[in-house]
């Protein structure tokens, strides 16, 4: 069972975040209408009050070809996996590796700004931590008093 599946039913914010993540997995197009050939797989994990988004980007030069931005309460990770191989003039080849532009977008709560986002790349995986996504989201139980309401007592 994935982390997303475990949290989806128990945490309304995580369910919304999960929905946004899942909506990015489908066929994507850029504003020109061109289809994106490469969509990196993503995983979102809750770690305390933070969310960590991991994208598989093997063979991508993240310093040159990837950007991580926060805009309009959205975490946007965009880039390109380039095919730097020389074209073969003879022989046959089978290509399962996809190349091209990608763009992944994740909704953020209003209280999270760009200063809460950090990213690092290690062994083909981009890790983006969004600090404080869950800060202050724990439910607060409200006591139920018995007897007449305060407004009723004042009227009597």
């Amino acid at each position: 069972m994935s982390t997303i599946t475990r949290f989806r039913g128990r945490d309304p914010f995580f369910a919304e975040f999960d929905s946004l993540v899942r909506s990015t997995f489908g066929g994507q197009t850029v504003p020109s209408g061109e289809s994106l050939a490469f969509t990196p797989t993503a995983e979102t994990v809750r770690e305390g009050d933070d969310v960590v988004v991991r994208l598989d980007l093997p063979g991508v030069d993240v310093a040159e070809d990837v950007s991580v931005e926060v805009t309009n309460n959205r975490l946007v990770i965009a880039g390109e996996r380039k095919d730097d191989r020389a074209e073969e003039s003879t022989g046959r080849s089978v290509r399962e590796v996809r190349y091209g532009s990608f763009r992944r977008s994740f909704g953020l709560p209003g209280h999270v700004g760009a200063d809460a986002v950090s990213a690092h790349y290690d062994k083909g995986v981009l890790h983006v931590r969004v600090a404080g996504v869950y800060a202050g989201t724990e439910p607060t139980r409200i006591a139920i008093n018995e007897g007449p309401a305060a407004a009723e007592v004042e009227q009597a």
Side-chain angles (χ1 to χ4, degrees):
M1 178 183 302
S2 74
T3 303
I4 290 174
T5 305
R6 282 195 306 259
F7 283 109
R8 186 176 7 172
R10 290 184 280 184
D11 188 334
F13 177 77
F14 199 88
E16 181 179 332
F17 192 78
D18 173 44
S19 172
L20 293 169
V21 170
R22 290 179 184 276
S23 71
T24 63
F25 283 126
Q28 299 177 28
T29 58
V30 291
S32 66
E34 176 185 341
S35 177
L36 300 177
F38 169 60
T39 303
T41 57
E43 171 182 57
T44 58
V45 180
R46 180 177 180 172
E47 292 183 1
D49 285 343
D50 302 348
V51 167
V52 176
V53 179
R54 296 184 189 110
L55 273 78
D56 288 335
L57 296 174
V60 175
D61 182 353
V62 293
E64 294 291 323
D65 298 325
V66 176
S67 69
V68 177
E69 300 175 352
V70 173
T71 181
N72 297 327
N73 289 340
R74 307 230 15 115
L75 171 66
V76 179
I77 304 168
E80 182 177 8
R81 178 190 274 171
K82 296 179 181 175
D83 185 1
D84 295 332
R85 296 175 297 144
E87 287 294 320
E88 295 179 23
S89 59
T90 61
R92 298 174 83 168
S93 65
V94 176
R95 296 178 72 170
E96 291 184 354
V97 177
R98 300 238 182 238
Y99 298 92
S101 299
F102 66 89
R103 182 178 187 275
R104 302 297 305 263
S105 178
F106 306 89
L108 296 173
H111 70 276
V112 174
D115 57 335
V117 179
S118 62
H120 76 278
Y121 183 76
D122 185 40
K123 298 179 183 173
V125 180
L126 177 66
H127 302 258
V128 180
R129 178 175 294 275
V130 184
V133 168
Y134 289 100
T137 61
E138 295 301 319
T140 302
R141 186 171 182 108
I142 307 299
I144 301 173
N145 297 317
E146 292 188 38
E152 294 174 14
V153 172
E154 290 177 11
Q155 292 175 2

